[in-house]
Amino acid sequence: MGTLVNGTIPAMKCPKNVAMMKTTSNGVFDGESPLDFAFPLVILQICLVVAVTRSLAFLLRPMRQPRVVAEIIGGILLGPSALGRITSYKNSIFPARSLTVLDTLANLGLLLFLFLVGLEIDLTSLRRTGKKAISIAAAGMLLPFGMGIVTSFAFPEASSSGDNSKVLPFIIFMGVALSITAFGVLARILAELKLLTTDLGRISMNAAAINDVAAWVLLALAVSLSGDRNSPLVPLWVLLSGIAFVIACFLIVPRIFKFISRRCPEGEPIGEMYVCVALCAVLLAGFATDAIGIHAIFGAFVMGVLFPKGHFSDAIVEKIEDLVMGLLLPLYFVMSGLKTDITTIQGVKSWGRLALVIVTACFGKIVGTVSVALLCKVRLRESVVLGVLMNTKGLVELIVLNIGKDRKVLSDQTFAIMVLMAIFTTFITTPIVLALYKPSETTQTHSSVSYKNRKHRRKIENDEEGEKMQQLKVLVCLQSSKDIDPMMKIMEATRGSNETKERFCVYVMHLTQLSERPSSIRMVQKVRSNGLPFWNKKRENSSAVTVAFEASSKLSSVSVRSVTAISPLSTIHEDICSSADSKCTAFVILPFHKQWRSLEKEFETVRSEYQGINKRVLENSPCSVGILVDRGLGDNNSPVASSNFSLSVNVLFFGGCDDREALVYGLRMAEHPGVNLTVVVISGPESARFDMLEAQETSLCSLDEQFLAAIKKRANAARFEERTVNSTEEVVEIIRQFYECDILLVGKSSKGPMVSRLPVMKIECPELGPVGNLIVSNEISTSVSVLVVQQYTGKGPSVVGSVSVPVVETP
C-alpha cells in the first residue's frame, strides 16, 4: 500500500483521468494558491455557505420565514442558477474536483441531523394520537400522493420513451414529494405565530408527526425500488433486508442503550467513552443501511427513534447539535443548490409543469385536509388554515429530491421544478395563515367577556375589601438556574403568615428560546404530546430549571406551579403577559438582565436580549411588575426552610403609585415571622413641596399622605423612619445608611422633589427608574439586592389576549 504524500493518496490509486486535489498547501509564499487544495478550499466553502445563509435568514426574518427557506435559497444562489454561471467563481470556489469532499461532509451532517431528528420522535406519544389527527393526516397524505402519481405522467421520466426501470420509482418519488409535511418546519412556524398550543396547532402537529413517519416509510420503499438493478429480485431483497434491520434494531438497540444509561447517573457528566459508543453505533447503522442499498440516513434515523429519551440523549444532543446545525447541515442545502439549475426550466411546457406541480401540491394537501377536518367538526376557516399548514415543506422534501437525483430517477429539470415548488409552498405558509387566522380576535373577545363577569387582583395595593381577600397570585420568571435561590427567598417572604399562605399561589415560568435546533423542537413536542391546548400536568415535561425550583420550594411552605414558555426572545414577552392574564396574577417578577459576580463586585451582561424583554413586559403587563436585581441574595446563609427563614427588607418611599405598590409589597412580606421590615419615608423641604403643589400635584401628595397615615395605623410589624432632605447628597447618604439589609424595595417611577435630581451620570437601565439606577450604579458603593416595582395603572398598550401561550405546566 502506498504512503501518503502531503495528505493525499498516491496518484496510482486514483481513477484514470481524474485530477485529485492535495489536502494542504505549502502557502502563498511558496507560490501555491490555497484554492487549489482540498482542506483550505473546504474551509472557505463552509464560511461562504454560513455567511450567505445566515444573511438571507436575517433578511427574511421580518417576513417570519423559517431558516430552511433562507438555506434553500442560499444554496440556489451559490449554484449554477446564479453565481455558478460565473466561470471564474465556479472554477475557483466550487470546482468539480472539490465536490466529493463537500458532498461527504454534507452527508455526514445530514446523517447526524437525522439522528437528532429521530431523538425528538416519541413513539409513545404517537400511540396516544387521537382519531381526528390520524384521519386528517391520512387524508392530507393520500390525496396529494394520488395526485402526485397522476401528475408524474406529465413529465418525460414517466413516458414510455424513458427508462422503464425508473418509471415506478419516479412515480413513487413524485407521490412522496407532494405528500410530505415537514414536521420541524411546521413546529417552528406554529411557535413563531403563537399557534403552537391552540387546538389548531395541536391537531396540525399530531397530524404532521404521523405524516412524517409515513413519509419515511414510503421513501424507504422508493429507494429500495430505485438504482441500477441487475435482477428484478434485488428490490425485494433490499426491502426485506431493510425490514430485518429495523426489527433487529427494535430488539437489540434499546436494551444496549438502556444499560449504558443506567451506568450514567442523572446529574453527573456523561463519560466520553459512552458518547463515542453511541455515535459509533449511529455511524455503523448508517453503514449497514447503505450496504443494504437504502441510504445511510435511514440507519441513523432508526437509531435516533429507538434511543432511550432522557439525560443521556440530552447530553449527546448538547455535544453535537451546534456543530451539525451551524456548520455541516447548511452544506447539504448548498449541495442541493449546486444541483439545481433553474435555467433548465425553459419553454411553455417546462413552466407549465412547474405551475402544475405547485397547484397539485397545494390543492391535494389543502382539499384533502379540509374535507376531513370539516367532517371532524372543525370550522371552515380553521380547516383551510390547517390545510395550508400541512402543506409546509422543508428538509425532508430536499432529502427525497436529492436521493431521487442521485439515483438518476429525477432529471435536472424535474429536480429544479420540485425544489422551486418546495420553496414556494413553504414561503406562502406564514403570510396565508396570518391573513386567514388571527387568534387574537377570538381570544380577546373571550377575554373581554370574561372580565365583565369576574374581577381579579392586578396589583398588590387594593382599595376594595373583596379584592384584598382574593388569592394573591404571583408569576415568577426564570432565565437560568442562577435565578432559583433569590426568587425562592422572595417567594418564601411573600407568602406571609400561616393565615395568609393559603391565599398565595406562585407560577414559575422558565423562559426558553425557540430556535431552529431539534432540541427546541423537542420542547415543542412535549407541548404537543399531552393532548391539551394549554397546560400539561406531567412532571416529566418540565424543564430542569423549573423542576429545580419546585424541589427548592418543598423546603418552604410555598405552593408552586411551574411552566415553560417556548418562544423566540423577540416575542416571549407576549407569553409572559398572556400567562399573567390567563392565570389572573397580580404581580410578575422578572430577573435583571445582568448577573452579579460576587468576587469582582460587578455586573456581567450575559444576554442583552433580556433587557428588551423586561422593558416590553413593563409596557404591556396586565398587572404590577417587579424586576429583581440580585447581588448575592441567594448566596447568604439564610435557609429557605420556613422555620429558620430570616430576611431583612428596607423600603425607600419617595411618593407615587409605584412607591405605594413597593410599600404594600413590603408589608405583605412583613407578615412573615422571619422578615424584618423598615420603611424609610423620604420627603423634601416645605418649599419644594409648595412647588409641587403649584405644579398641580396636590392630589398626588395628599394621596400619599392619606396612604401613609392609613398604613401606619395597621402596620404593626414594620418600623417607620422619616427623613427630610434638602439636597440630593442627603438622599444618597440616606440610601447608604439603609442599604445594610438583604434587599431594598423601590418604586420604578418614584415621585418627589429630589428624585429627578439624583446624581446618576448615565441611565443605562431605564427599566429600573432613577432610584434603581442610582443604587445599582457605581455612585453608591453597595452590593445590596434591589426589587424595582411598577404598579399596574391600566394605561398603555397591551398584548394580552393577542396570543396563545406555548407553555407546559406541572402541578
Side-chain angles (χ1 to χ4, degrees):
M1 182 175 179
T3 57
L4 294 178
V5 179
N6 196 20
T8 64
I9 301 174
M12 66 178 183
K13 296 289 184 180
C14 301
K16 294 182 179 181
N17 301 324
V18 177
M20 295 292 291
M21 297 185 73
K22 292 184 178 181
T23 303
T24 57
S25 71
N26 294 321
V28 293
F29 296 107
D30 205 25
E32 295 182 345
S33 171
L35 298 181
D36 294 332
F37 297 84
F39 188 59
L41 180 58
V42 79
I43 292 176
L44 179 62
Q45 290 170 341
I46 292 174
C47 293
L48 178 63
V49 168
V50 172
V52 170
T53 55
R54 291 303 175 102
S55 299
L56 287 173
F58 177 78
L59 294 176
L60 293 176
R61 188 181 302 170
M63 291 182 280
R64 309 177 84 167
Q65 293 295 326
R67 200 169 76 192
V68 65
V69 173
E71 289 172 330
I72 297 175
I73 295 176
I76 293 176
L77 292 178
L78 293 174
S81 300
L83 295 176
R85 301 182 67 83
I86 304 174
T87 305
S88 58
Y89 161 85
K90 178 182 177 180
N91 294 335
S92 58
I93 305 299
F94 290 103
R97 63 183 185 276
S98 72
L99 297 185
T100 301
V101 176
L102 191 64
D103 198 24
T104 302
L105 289 175
N107 279 277
L108 177 62
L110 180 66
L111 182 141
L112 294 175
F113 175 77
L114 264 295
F115 169 66
L116 296 177
V117 171
L119 287 177
E120 313 314 319
I121 292 182
D122 186 1
L123 296 178
T124 304
S125 65
L126 285 180
R127 287 194 292 265
R128 295 199 303 263
T129 303
K131 295 181 180 180
K132 181 187 295 186
I134 294 175
S135 302
I136 292 174
M141 191 165 191
L142 290 176
L143 181 59
F145 185 84
M147 295 186 68
I149 292 176
V150 175
T151 305
S152 64
F153 290 98
F155 289 81
E157 290 91 337
S159 64
S160 58
S161 60
D163 186 357
N164 292 330
S165 64
K166 302 294 185 182
V167 173
L168 181 58
F170 174 74
I171 292 173
I172 297 178
F173 269 104
M174 289 293 291
V176 173
L178 266 65
S179 59
I180 279 177
T181 296
F183 174 80
V185 179
L186 175 63
R188 188 68 174 78
I189 292 175
L190 288 172
E192 181 75 28
L193 300 180
K194 304 294 183 183
L195 299 175
L196 186 61
T197 52
T198 61
D199 287 334
L200 181 68
R202 177 174 55 84
I203 294 172
S204 59
M205 287 290 286
N206 286 330
I210 299 171
N211 191 302
D212 209 31
V213 174
W216 284 110
V217 174
L218 290 174
L219 180 58
L221 175 63
V223 171
S224 65
L225 294 174
S226 63
D228 297 324
R229 310 301 188 191
N230 298 322
S231 170
L233 293 178
V234 171
L236 179 62
W237 285 114
V238 171
L239 185 61
L240 293 177
S241 299
I243 295 173
F245 170 80
V246 173
I247 293 175
C249 288
F250 265 93
L251 296 176
I252 299 173
V253 171
R255 298 180 181 181
I256 296 176
F257 286 119
K258 284 180 181 178
F259 173 76
I260 296 177
S261 296
R262 286 194 295 267
R263 299 179 65 88
C264 303
E266 188 170 0
E268 296 184 8
I270 305 297
E272 180 184 358
M273 180 184 69
Y274 298 123
V275 176
C276 290
V277 168
L279 294 180
C280 286
V282 173
L283 296 176
L284 287 175
F287 175 83
T289 52
D290 187 80
I292 289 172
I294 306 178
H295 198 286
I297 62 174
F298 287 98
F301 179 75
V302 171
M303 293 293 287
V305 171
L306 299 179
F307 206 93
K309 309 305 185 282
H311 64 286
F312 188 22
S313 61
D314 292 340
I316 293 178
V317 169
E318 185 178 352
K319 290 179 182 297
I320 69 173
E321 189 175 35
D322 288 332
L323 174 65
V324 173
M325 297 296 295
L327 290 181
L328 297 181
L329 191 60
L331 299 182
Y332 189 78
F333 291 98
V334 169
M335 290 307 301
S336 301
L338 293 176
K339 300 173 187 177
T340 305
D341 189 358
I342 300 178
T343 59
T344 59
I345 308 176
Q346 296 178 351
V348 177
K349 286 186 178 181
S350 298
W351 288 104
R353 292 189 185 107
L354 174 61
L356 177 63
V357 167
I358 292 176
V359 172
T360 303
C362 296
F363 181 84
K365 271 289 184 183
I366 296 175
V367 172
T369 303
V370 170
S371 301
V372 177
L374 291 174
L375 293 176
C376 294
K377 299 182 180 179
V378 179
R379 290 185 299 179
L380 178 61
R381 186 169 64 168
E382 281 78 0
S383 298
V384 174
V385 173
L386 184 59
V388 174
L389 290 170
M390 294 295 291
N391 197 34
T392 303
K393 310 296 181 185
L395 178 61
V396 181
E397 176 85 4
L398 279 188
I399 294 174
V400 173
L401 298 179
N402 275 282
I403 293 176
K405 180 76 163 56
D406 294 339
R407 304 251 169 172
K408 299 180 181 179
V409 175
L410 303 179
S411 65
D412 292 343
Q413 184 186 94
T414 303
F415 182 82
I417 289 174
M418 299 303 290
V419 170
L420 291 181
M421 180 272 294
I423 296 176
F424 179 82
T425 54
T426 305
F427 190 89
I428 64 173
T429 299
T430 299
I432 290 179
V433 171
L434 286 175
L436 294 178
Y437 189 74
K438 296 181 174 61
S440 58
E441 296 177 0
T442 56
T443 309
Q444 285 185 330
T445 302
H446 172 74
S447 178
S448 61
V449 172
S450 61
Y451 279 127
K452 293 179 181 179
N453 300 321
R454 65 174 171 89
K455 297 178 66 176
H456 74 262
R457 298 179 67 171
R458 292 175 175 265
K459 55 186 180 180
I460 308 296
E461 179 192 4
N462 283 289
D463 299 325
E464 299 182 17
E465 193 64 32
E467 293 187 2
K468 294 178 183 179
M469 298 304 294
Q470 287 183 1
Q471 185 182 43
L472 175 61
K473 297 180 179 181
V474 178
L475 175 62
V476 175
C477 298
L478 305 176
Q479 297 174 7
S480 66
S481 58
K482 293 183 179 180
D483 301 322
I484 293 176
D485 287 343
M487 288 293 188
M488 194 62 244
K489 292 194 173 183
I490 294 294
M491 290 302 98
E492 168 61 25
T494 308
R495 77 168 179 86
S497 63
N498 293 329
E499 290 76 17
T500 59
K501 71 178 183 180
E502 298 298 331
R503 300 196 304 271
F504 180 55
C505 180
V506 179
Y507 295 95
V508 182
M509 174 179 285
H510 180 207
L511 307 180
T512 304
Q513 181 180 11
L514 180 76
S515 65
E516 302 284 347
R517 296 177 168 188
S519 58
S520 183
I521 303 303
R522 177 187 301 180
M523 297 299 296
V524 170
Q525 260 197 308
K526 289 179 178 180
V527 178
R528 176 189 62 82
S529 62
N530 65 82
L532 298 175
F534 285 96
W535 307 94
N536 180 16
K537 301 185 180 299
K538 292 190 176 182
R539 173 65 175 265
E540 64 267 23
N541 287 345
S542 298
S543 67
V545 173
T546 55
V547 169
F549 194 96
E550 291 178 18
S552 178
S553 69
K554 291 181 179 179
L555 298 175
S556 69
S557 300
V558 178
S559 174
V560 173
R561 293 185 179 182
S562 62
V563 303
T564 300
I566 312 166
S567 186
L569 292 184
S570 59
T571 60
I572 204 167
H573 67 283
E574 299 176 0
D575 302 351
I576 298 172
C577 295
S578 293
S579 290
D581 185 64
S582 64
K583 291 301 173 183
C584 305
T585 59
F587 200 61
V588 174
I589 301 184
L590 305 166
F592 192 46
H593 70 280
K594 297 181 179 181
Q595 291 184 355
W596 180 249
R597 301 170 65 180
S598 301
L599 295 178
E600 293 82 359
K601 299 294 182 182
E602 63 182 17
F603 282 108
E604 175 187 14
T605 302
V606 180
R607 298 198 66 172
S608 58
E609 298 97 328
Y610 284 102
Q611 183 179 21
I613 294 173
N614 292 348
K615 291 179 180 179
R616 290 189 290 272
V617 172
L618 287 170
E619 294 171 356
N620 298 285
S621 176
C623 61
S624 296
V625 181
I627 298 179
L628 177 61
V629 183
D630 174 39
R631 290 199 281 195
L633 180 63
D635 299 335
N636 60 33
N637 297 323
S638 174
V640 183
S642 301
S643 57
N644 302 317
F645 181 78
S646 64
L647 193 72
S648 59
V649 181
N650 290 350
V651 179
L652 301 180
F653 185 90
F654 291 89
C657 60
D658 291 350
D659 282 35
R660 293 196 298 271
E661 188 77 349
L663 176 52
V664 174
Y665 191 69
L667 293 174
R668 168 78 188 203
M669 290 182 168
E671 297 177 10
H672 193 290
V675 174
N676 296 317
L677 176 65
T678 300
V679 180
V680 185
V681 181
I682 303 175
S683 58
E686 291 295 328
S687 59
R689 296 183 67 184
F690 179 77
D691 293 340
M692 290 180 64
L693 295 177
E694 292 295 319
Q696 296 183 352
E697 295 195 15
T698 309
S699 59
L700 179 62
C701 293
S702 61
L703 185 59
D704 288 337
E705 292 174 355
Q706 295 173 9
F707 170 79
L708 289 173
I711 288 294
K712 289 177 182 180
K713 291 180 180 179
R714 59 184 179 88
N716 299 323
R719 179 170 66 93
F720 281 82
E721 297 281 348
E722 296 191 11
R723 296 288 189 271
T724 301
V725 295
N726 295 299
S727 64
T728 55
E729 290 77 9
E730 294 182 11
V731 174
V732 174
E733 192 61 33
I734 291 174
I735 294 176
R736 289 197 179 112
Q737 181 182 350
F738 286 96
Y739 67 57
E740 294 297 332
C741 60
D742 293 321
I743 186 169
L744 276 173
L745 268 62
V746 300
K748 174 180 177 289
S749 301
S750 299
K751 306 296 182 182
M754 297 298 172
V755 173
S756 59
R757 308 175 193 173
L758 289 176
V760 182
M761 298 299 294
K762 182 180 179 181
I763 304 294
E764 295 182 356
C765 306
E767 70 273 17
L768 300 182
V771 179
N773 269 278
L774 176 64
I775 297 174
V776 301
S777 67
N778 296 327
E779 302 291 335
I780 298 181
S781 179
T782 177
S783 59
V784 65
S785 298
V786 185
L787 180 64
V788 181
V789 179
Q790 173 183 279
Q791 187 182 69
Y792 172 77
T793 59
K795 300 177 180 179
S798 177
V799 298
V800 174
S802 63
V803 295
S804 298
V805 189
V807 292
V808 180
E809 180 185 16
T810 61

